[in-house]
Amino acid sequence: MTVTAPLPGAESRNDATWLDVAHGKRRRPPPRLPAEQVRKLLLLGLLGAAAVALWLRLLASQPHLPMVLQMDGLGRIVLVASSDATLHAAVGRPVLALLLANGQRLDAVPALLPQSPRWIVDDTERAQRQHHQALLGQALQQPRLAVAFDGGLQLPLLPQARGLSGLGGLCWAVCALALALYLSAVVAVLARSGLSAWLFLCLALAQSLNLLMIGAGALPGLGQSAMLAQLDFSGRLAADVLSAAALLHVLALYPRRLRAAHALGALAWAGAAVALAWLLVVQPALLWWWAQGLVLATGVLAVLLLRQPSTAPGQPGHALARLMQGLVLAGTGTLALLTVALATAGVDGDVPYHLATLGSAAWYVFFASLLMLGPFLSRSRQVLREFTLLAGVSTVAASLTLLFLAIFGLNPLAALAMALVAAVGVYALARPWMLGQLAGPGAPSAERLFDSLYRAARALEQSPGQPMRHLAELLREVFEPLEVVRTSRSVSQVRVAADGASLVVPALQPPQGTAASGDADGPAGAIVLRHAQHGQRLFTQADQQLCERLLEQLRRAVAFDRAVEQGRTEERARIAQDLHDDIGARLLTLMYTAPNDEIEEYIRHTLQDLKTLTRGLAASNQRLSHAAAEWKADISQRLGAAGCRLHWSFSTDRDPTLSAVQWSALTRVLRELVNNIITHAQASQVEISLQLERGALLLSVSDDGVGRAPEAWSHGLGLGGVRKRVKLLGGQVLWCVRDGRGIRCEVRAVLGRAPG
């Protein structure tokens, strides 16, 4: 554990700013949404919702043919369903062509089936599909047309607008996901100003465009406008290339700022511009392979960027970077699997084209959910994480189904069953990994938590003036961070900061009367834990809740100890008052009626001892220096009456406050040792040395009497009481023969550790 002094200048910054300084980052606003930013969020959210609503309205107003076509096992285009009653009699018949009002004939070929050109491998087939889709879009502008079926059957059909109710559930769901992705990016920008947030917004906007285009391609029925058919390929390809550049640039800045981050970003954007112009204008051979290779290379480069060290020298590994590296690797791996599956299977008559469409759509949904998780991994809900896993598993299942169909020649049902079994295995492996990164490996058991909490509470009871140190030790045991940093900047509550890399914990307040004592460990502030579980995971909301409960239990323990101590103080004061009023009065009467001077002097000393005892009982806590002065005065009087000379030495590096237990034990130990010297030693000189250094007390009592061989002494109530009280202080006692003459007794005890 590393404990440092308060951060310089932290008092003049807000919570997020001084925490970022501690992480070696530039200043930035706190990750919160105050009222002004909430208004901005509402405004931008309304704009995004309006844009999606306009897109849906555009799709709903486009004419289409109410036909659902599918390719059968013989390569024929068959009508499988229609919402037009005129075509119900032809369901199940092969479709030969569409007959336009101007006399043109549009043959029913696989290129008429809805599929995005972006995911067609063969260049020739892609060009044919784009051509036929454009022809179909023009045909939809005709006032009427007819459908020619096998067997000479011709039925009239009128193009009609879908309407909002005819867009289909898949279109609505994908567009809602696009809006959610946009809103998550807006929240990230409002909560974290900076270039990385704006780059994330660009990335989210590009993928939202992809999702909207997927929604347009998932419309029920046949056909879409010629403009949408032409923009599908170029728009989605541009979104992918721009997403690649934005991803590389943002990962150069977040979660760790890399060396030459802006140069890497500029290079990524320049390369994306050149590649996009080359792909769309030149349109080289194997265009799809070039596009897929570019996207896959971006994923590999992103993983390498996340493995690079940051600009801050000596900074420990970043758990968020490690987790994001795994997620980017998962996205790249599923895309590579989908690419291999599409390239192997193709879209010939033996493989259902809708599997290719489903696989590509599932991957975009998976990537969008990863983006929504990215800035909020430590705060994301379980539902979003499960949705991300299911989207990734769906991509794997669709890709494996295509591979099994193409390689083994299985029927679609058997291929789908085998793919689902493999996908469930992938899910079973991926889910514990993701949850382990967020929940932490080896979560502390209830027994371990109770033991750590109990020891922290007892330590607070022994030295209540050092709550920061005891709290830091407890948090280190529970969360095992790489660093524990102290700061004088106060916070009001526990919070997860720095995107899960840190946990900020407010300090426990010491009991009244101890904050300014010699045991106090400095002004109240906050404790910053960095990199949980030795840098292996992020801090999460569960960690925040656990920390809040630990703080509450410690506060209760402190309050309970305070109440118990108050009860003890009141009871000691009552006993002291009774002793003073009853026993003291009787001893005073006996002193005045003593038959001789010797008894009167004895009673006078007894009264003095009673006075010292009652004063100590009445005062619950007192300074070591005050107690030492009383001990010296009492011992000097008693040794003077016995004809012994006292040599007193007292030194300390601080002046701690003794508890009642400590004061009572030391007082009785000194009194018993002096009594033994007066009674048995026949000494003329007594040396008492009291030293306190960094919480360690050394008490030495020596005489020049006739005592010998302390190891052979019989320990009765007197010496046994000394050992018992020293043990109560957590120390040990030793008697030995002095050089020359006499006995020396050494007491070593711990009164409380010095501030760390």
Side-chain angles (χ1 to χ4, degrees), residues 358-654:
L358 177 63
S360 60
W363 185 83
Y364 279 113
V365 171
F366 177 47
F367 187 60
S369 60
L370 288 178
L371 290 180
M372 286 191 288
L373 272 178
F376 315 108
L377 277 171
S378 62
R379 303 174 184 271
S380 59
R381 299 295 181 184
Q382 183 69 22
V383 175
L384 181 56
R385 295 198 293 265
E386 295 293 344
F387 176 78
T388 303
L389 289 172
L390 291 176
V393 168
S394 300
T395 307
V396 173
S399 303
L400 292 179
T401 303
L402 288 172
L403 284 175
F404 293 153
L405 287 173
I407 296 177
F408 302 110
L410 301 175
N411 63 70
L413 185 60
L416 180 61
M418 293 179 60
L420 288 178
V421 171
V424 169
V426 172
Y427 177 82
L429 294 175
R431 187 174 187 273
W433 175 82
M434 176 175 282
L435 297 183
Q437 295 295 312
L438 297 176
S445 63
E447 181 180 0
R448 176 185 166 190
L449 281 176
F450 177 81
D451 181 64
S452 300
L453 185 61
Y454 177 80
R455 283 189 280 105
R458 297 285 69 80
L460 273 173
E461 182 183 8
Q462 294 295 326
S463 52
Q466 297 179 331
M468 290 280 279
R469 180 171 57 83
H470 299 314
L471 177 59
E473 292 177 355
L474 171 64
L475 297 176
R476 182 187 61 176
E477 292 180 5
V478 173
F479 298 109
E480 299 180 0
L482 282 179
E483 292 182 284
V484 178
V485 180
R486 289 264 306 274
T487 173
S488 59
R489 174 67 179 179
S490 298
V491 294
S492 58
Q493 60 184 1
V494 181
R495 67 180 182 88
V496 177
D499 307 308
S502 298
L503 185 70
V504 186
V505 184
L508 280 175
Q509 295 296 329
Q512 294 182 358
T514 61
S517 67
D519 286 341
D521 56 2
I527 298 175
V528 181
L529 309 181
R530 295 178 182 169
H531 311 292
Q533 212 76 35
H534 303 293
Q536 297 300 313
R537 69 174 182 91
L538 300 177
F539 287 107
T540 65
Q541 296 299 303
D543 294 321
Q544 177 179 334
Q545 295 172 2
L546 174 60
C547 189
E548 289 172 349
R549 295 191 183 112
L550 291 176
L551 285 176
E552 179 63 25
Q553 293 301 321
L554 279 181
R555 292 189 185 102
R556 290 182 180 181
V558 170
F560 175 77
D561 291 339
R562 202 177 304 174
V564 170
E565 184 60 32
Q566 182 179 357
R568 290 173 178 172
T569 301
E570 293 175 355
E571 184 65 16
R572 286 194 300 265
R574 187 189 64 80
I575 295 174
Q577 189 66 43
D578 291 345
L579 289 174
H580 178 273
D581 295 345
D582 298 337
I583 307 300
R586 294 185 182 186
L587 287 176
L588 187 61
T589 301
L590 286 175
M591 185 182 68
Y592 287 131
T593 60
N596 52 58
D597 294 341
E598 182 178 353
I599 295 178
E600 179 183 353
E601 187 64 22
Y602 181 81
I603 296 175
R604 190 184 304 277
H605 284 297
T606 304
L607 276 171
Q608 184 65 32
D609 293 343
L610 180 62
K611 180 180 179 181
T612 303
L613 175 63
T614 55
R615 186 187 302 119
L617 287 174
S620 58
N621 298 298
Q622 57 178 310
R623 300 280 190 176
L624 176 61
S625 58
H626 297 168
E630 291 184 355
W631 294 333
K632 180 181 179 182
D634 178 61
I635 294 172
S636 297
Q637 184 179 6
R638 298 177 62 198
L639 290 178
C644 293
R645 185 177 178 183
L646 174 65
H647 300 276
W648 177 268
S649 174
F650 172 69
S651 64
T652 179
D653 56 354
R654 55 197 178 94

Side-chain angles (χ1 to χ4, degrees), residues 313-329:
Q315 184 181 9
H318 201 297
L320 180 58
R322 184 179 295 106
L323 178 54
M324 290 180 63
Q325 177 184 336
L327 297 181
V328 172
L329 191 60

Side-chain angles (χ1 to χ4, degrees), residues 33-345:
L33 292 180
E36 181 182 356
Q37 290 181 316
V38 169
R39 289 193 292 270
K40 293 180 180 178
L41 175 61
L42 291 176
L43 177 60
L44 294 174
L46 289 175
L47 290 176
V52 173
L54 289 176
W55 175 257
L56 292 173
R57 182 63 184 172
L58 173 64
L59 297 180
S61 63
Q62 297 295 319
H64 81 297
L65 300 178
M67 305 170 59
V68 178
L69 303 181
Q70 185 175 332
M71 191 163 50
D72 63 5
L74 300 178
R76 299 176 302 178
I77 306 300
V78 179
L79 176 66
V80 296
S82 175
S83 60
D84 192 331
T86 306
L87 300 180
H88 286 178
V91 171
R93 285 176 173 268
V95 179
L96 298 181
L98 296 176
L99 305 178
L100 280 63
N102 58 7
Q104 291 184 352
R105 175 188 177 94
L106 188 59
D107 293 332
V109 294
L112 288 180
L113 298 177
Q115 184 183 6
S116 172
R118 170 67 181 86
W119 290 92
I120 296 178
V121 179
D122 185 75
D123 293 338
T124 303
E125 184 179 354
R126 184 186 316 107
Q128 291 177 354
R129 184 171 297 271
Q130 288 178 297
H131 175 69
H132 280 80
Q133 290 294 327
L135 292 178
L136 180 59
Q138 295 173 4
L140 295 177
Q141 304 301 321
Q142 299 290 323
R144 58 186 177 84
L145 49 82
V147 184
F149 293 94
D150 189 20
L153 178 65
Q154 293 186 9
L155 296 176
L157 184 63
L158 297 179
Q160 54 186 280
R162 291 184 174 89
L164 292 176
S165 60
L167 294 180
L170 182 57
C171 177
W172 283 97
V174 173
C175 291
L177 180 61
L179 180 59
L181 176 58
Y182 163 76
L183 290 178
S184 67
V186 169
V187 171
V189 170
L190 294 178
R192 177 199 309 278
S193 64
L195 181 58
S196 61
W198 289 103
L199 289 171
F200 178 75
L201 178 60
C202 293
L203 179 58
L205 288 175
Q207 290 308 307
S208 296
L209 174 61
N210 255 326
L211 292 173
L212 293 178
M213 298 297 292
I214 290 174
L219 295 174
L222 187 65
Q224 57 182 213
S225 68
M227 180 187 66
L228 289 179
Q230 293 297 325
L231 289 179
D232 182 89
F233 177 74
S234 58
R236 295 182 66 174
L237 183 61
D240 287 339
V241 174
L242 295 178
S243 296
L247 179 64
L248 292 178
H249 196 176
V250 75
L251 291 181
L253 300 171
Y254 173 89
R256 298 177 300 181
R257 189 183 189 86
L258 303 181
R259 299 177 178 86
H262 290 304
L264 290 174
L267 183 61
W269 286 107
V274 172
L276 185 60
W278 181 58
L279 292 174
L280 293 180
V281 177
V282 179
Q283 294 190 357
L286 303 176
L287 174 61
W288 184 83
W289 282 104
W290 284 108
Q292 291 301 102
L294 176 63
V295 178
L296 290 173
T298 300
V300 175
L301 290 176
V303 173
L304 295 177
L305 287 179
L306 288 170
R307 294 177 61 90
Q308 295 300 313
S310 65
T311 56
Q315 184 181 9
H318 201 297
L320 180 58
R322 184 179 295 106
L323 178 54
M324 290 180 63
Q325 177 184 336
L327 297 181
V328 172
L329 191 60
T332 306
T334 52
L335 180 61
L337 178 62
L338 179 62
T339 300
V340 172
L342 290 176
T344 304

